[in-house]
């Protein structure tokens, strides 16, 4: 492969970098826009904003070919978290070219070592809440991380469905209110005897994609079909807001029988027509002594 050169991101790289980002776009993710990229370059995100606020301003570098064309073939964003002196690889894209992935990860480590390093820890402004690395769609990036000494941990199951879903039941007495913790979200509440016994939180659609952030049914209302009915109501609401697709994230990293056993949740979503797109992993590399 042509020798690569790493240099800081320039405004003239915008189109090439957006093309790299969108080449990695998963089903159910909106196309990255110039505004989304500008937000990511500033180190901001509409999701996990409190975690992003703990970081120093990020640095963004591109990998270019060393020939006369100087084509942009990769991009990586890194930052430091001063409170615990940790380095972070925030996002990286390279069309899953193995050689470029190796160069990008090596550059990131040169920037932040010998600190401990976390990779793909937070959801960025470039996605719709996509936290961690989709390992099935990003095998070369995953391999480059592992060769560099990172250890992975599976966090999420990422699922997708087309809308509408007419075969689902609908819950009665659903109240829709703003979600206090997310500016672009709404909360669906099922109330009985003056109390909320079940709730769902949905994200307003972006480019026709809505998010089901979570569903929770209180212990006294379980095993009555309420979770399935509330799911139907949530997806109906997203359809009414203009969504033609829905995504969700299941934190099913705990084995069956544990406190956060998600076996029932997975069965519910699969029976409602959601399909697994990928599994999302974060990566950690301990401090390296020179």
């Amino acid at each position: 492969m042509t020798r690569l050169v790493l240099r800081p991101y320039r405004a003239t790289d915008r189109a090439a970098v957006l093309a790299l980002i969108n080449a990695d776009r998963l089903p159910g993710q909106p196309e990255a826009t110039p505004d989304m990229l500008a937000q990511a370059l500033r180190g901001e995100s509409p999701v996990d904003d409190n975690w992003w606020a703990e970081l120093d301003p990020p640095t963004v570098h591109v990998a270019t070919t060393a020939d006369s064309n100087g084509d942009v073939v990769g991009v990586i964003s890194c930052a430091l978290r001063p409170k615990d002196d940790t380095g972070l690889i925030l996002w990286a894209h390279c069309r899953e070219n193995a050689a470029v992935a190796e160069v990008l990860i090596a550059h990131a480590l040169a920037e932040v070592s010998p600190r401990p390093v976390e990779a793909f820890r937070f959801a960025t402004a470039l996605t719709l809440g996509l936290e961690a690395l989709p390992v099935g769609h990003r095998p070369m990036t995953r391999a480059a991380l592992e060769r560099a000494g990172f250890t992975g941990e599976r966090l999420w199951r990422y699922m997708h469905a087309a809308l509408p879903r007419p075969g689902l039941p609908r819950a009665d007495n659903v109240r829709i209110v703003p979600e206090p913790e997310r500016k672009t979200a709404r909360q669906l509440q099922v109330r009985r005897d003056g109390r909320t016994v079940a709730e769902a939180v949905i994200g307003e659609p972006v480019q026709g994609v809505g998010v089901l952030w979570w569903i929770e049914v209180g212990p006294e209302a379980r095993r009555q079909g309420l979770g399935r009915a509330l799911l139907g109501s949530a997806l109906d609401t997203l359809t009414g807001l203009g969504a033609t697709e829905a995504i969700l994230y299941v934190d099913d990293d705990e084995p069956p029988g544990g406190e956060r056993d998600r076996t029932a949740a997975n069965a519910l979503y699969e029976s409602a027509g959601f399909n697994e797109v990928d599994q999302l992993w974060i990566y950690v590399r301990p401090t390296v002594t020179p």
Side-chain angles (χ1 to χ4, degrees):
M1 177 175 175
T2 304
R3 186 170 64 88
L4 299 177
V5 175
L6 269 292
R7 62 164 174 78
Y9 171 88
R10 302 169 185 162
T12 52
D13 298 325
R14 185 176 71 178
V17 167
L18 282 171
L20 287 171
I21 295 166
N22 286 320
D24 289 334
R25 184 164 60 99
L26 297 181
Q29 287 296 314
E31 183 173 338
T33 66
D35 286 345
M36 293 162 71
L37 176 58
Q39 195 172 5
L41 292 170
R42 294 193 301 268
E44 301 171 359
S45 175
V47 178
D48 299 336
D49 55 342
N50 55 323
W51 294 345
W52 286 84
E54 297 176 345
L55 308 183
D56 283 346
T59 61
V60 180
H61 283 73
V62 296
T64 69
T65 56
D67 56 24
S68 58
N69 292 328
D71 294 328
V72 175
V73 293
V75 60
I76 192 163
S77 176
C78 303
L80 296 179
R81 186 169 57 215
K83 74 172 187 177
D84 58 1
D85 196 31
T86 295
L88 292 104
I89 297 174
L90 301 172
W91 48 277
H93 297 278
C94 60
R95 297 183 189 273
E96 289 308 284
N97 181 296
V100 180
E102 294 276 358
V103 168
L104 292 176
I105 300 303
H107 168 78
L109 293 178
E111 282 224 325
V112 301
S113 289
R115 300 171 180 85
V117 185
E118 299 175 358
F120 303 97
R121 169 68 73 176
F122 310 135
T124 77
L126 301 170
T127 68
L128 200 52
L130 189 70
E131 178 182 290
L133 181 74
V135 293
H137 285 74
R138 305 286 302 277
M140 296 300 109
T141 300
R142 177 184 190 176
L145 288 166
E146 291 175 349
R147 281 193 290 271
F150 284 83
T151 300
E153 177 185 355
R154 183 171 65 86
L155 289 188
W156 302 97
R157 189 183 191 205
Y158 172 60
M159 305 186 76
H160 170 266
L163 296 180
R165 310 302 302 176
L168 294 172
R170 272 60 179 170
D172 296 325
N173 304 317
V174 175
R175 181 174 71 170
I176 302 176
V177 298
E179 165 56 37
E181 297 183 2
R182 297 177 188 266
K183 296 178 182 178
T184 59
R186 304 186 188 189
Q187 187 177 103
L188 284 73
Q189 300 176 345
V190 177
R191 297 179 62 81
R192 294 176 181 171
D193 300 324
R195 295 183 302 110
T196 299
V197 297
E199 65 179 28
V201 174
I202 58 173
E204 295 177 4
V206 176
Q207 297 179 24
V209 180
V211 185
L212 176 65
W213 289 115
W214 71 78
I215 286 180
E216 183 174 359
V217 179
E220 72 278 13
R222 292 173 186 167
R223 296 182 174 84
Q224 302 172 23
L226 182 54
R228 187 174 183 82
L230 184 55
L231 174 61
S233 295
L235 298 182
D236 259 7
T237 303
L238 286 173
T239 300
L241 292 171
T244 57
E245 304 171 75
I247 59 172
L248 57 84
Y249 304 93
V250 185
D251 57 339
D252 68 341
D253 52 308
E254 186 164 322
E259 183 179 346
R260 293 188 299 102
D261 183 352
R262 298 294 189 255
T263 302
N266 279 321
L268 169 62
Y269 298 138
E270 289 170 358
S271 69
F274 280 86
N275 297 304
E276 180 179 296
V277 174
D278 213 326
Q279 294 184 357
L280 308 180
W281 290 52
I282 60 167
Y283 287 84
V284 177
R285 185 175 187 258
T287 301
V288 177
T289 303

